[in-house]
Amino acid sequence: MGWPLAVSAALMERRRGALFRALAALAVGHFAAMIGILLPFALMTMLVQWQVEIRVVAALVVIALGLYLLINRRHPRFLARIPPSRLALWSFLVALAHGAALMLVPIYLGLCGTAAQSTGHIAANTLMTRAAGLSLLVALVHTAAMILSGGIIAFAVHHWLGVRFLSKGWFNLDVVWASSLIAVGAISLGALWL
């Protein structure tokens, strides 16, 4: 959802290079938010005996956030115009507030596969090492996909459609985003019992 800010940065500076610098700043902030959420959960996977309960709670939290975002549609006004120098911070805060990082937790915990691990100190050590690496990989892949898709949209709007499209053709994706949070939480809960 940061691609409009990348377009805005390019239009403010009147240089296409500003678009790519803005996308890089957005990627840094988004990646930091993913790691800030996923690494604590990587440490929690040491609690192998509570794996199912942790996944259920994570999925319910994601569903609750999606429902909250469906009900509360207001956005703070200070997030409307962000200077390019603050895009990384904006990306970090929005990824946390909108649940982008949280959305990955139930999926990530399912990838950890702690139920298949043997008990004991060796398994806990292996799991901790694997979980931290996996959280970094999940955050990196997610951030790359987000920047690639957002970058394509930003480039297309900046290069071909311009400001007129943004002012007349803008549509709000909040309902789609909130619904996707609910869907991910529900799928994660369903996957526990398959």
Side-chain angles (χ1 to χ4, degrees):
M1 304 254 302
W3 67 264
L5 295 173
V7 172
S8 174
L11 292 172
M12 283 191 283
E13 292 186 26
R14 299 176 194 254
R15 290 188 203 135
R16 186 175 292 160
L19 183 128
F20 299 110
R21 284 192 303 277
L23 287 172
L26 290 167
V28 166
H30 201 81
F31 183 75
M34 300 301 112
I35 292 302
I37 294 293
L38 290 176
L39 280 180
F41 279 95
L43 297 174
M44 284 181 19
T45 59
M46 292 185 308
L47 305 170
V48 175
Q49 67 271 20
W50 297 99
Q51 185 233 2
V52 172
E53 290 82 359
I54 292 170
R55 286 179 63 190
V56 167
V57 169
L60 291 175
V61 168
V62 170
I63 292 170
L65 181 61
L67 291 171
Y68 173 77
L69 291 175
L70 276 177
I71 294 166
N72 181 17
R73 298 259 198 71
R74 294 179 302 150
H75 280 272
R77 293 242 183 241
F78 73 91
L79 292 177
R81 186 166 167 87
I82 307 299
S85 62
R86 294 192 182 133
L87 282 177
L89 177 62
W90 177 91
S91 180
F92 175 78
L93 294 174
V94 170
L96 290 177
H98 273 222
L102 193 59
M103 177 189 258
L104 296 177
V105 170
I107 296 165
Y108 163 71
L109 290 175
L111 290 174
C112 285
T114 57
Q117 296 286 336
S118 62
T119 57
H121 289 66
I122 296 171
N125 186 29
T126 302
L127 181 59
M128 226 171 68
T129 305
R130 181 174 166 234
L134 187 57
S135 66
L136 289 170
L137 179 64
V138 166
L140 187 62
V141 168
H142 173 80
T143 300
M146 186 272 308
I147 285 299
L148 180 64
S149 61
I152 290 169
I153 293 169
F155 185 80
V157 169
H158 179 261
H159 188 70
W160 292 296
L161 302 174
V163 177
R164 185 167 288 159
F165 170 77
L166 288 177
S167 64
K168 295 187 186 226
W170 179 252
F171 54 96
N172 194 337
L173 296 172
D174 286 346
V175 172
V176 174
W177 178 250
S179 299
S180 68
L181 286 171
I182 295 167
V184 164
I187 290 168
S188 298
L189 283 176
L192 281 170
W193 289 281
L194 289 179

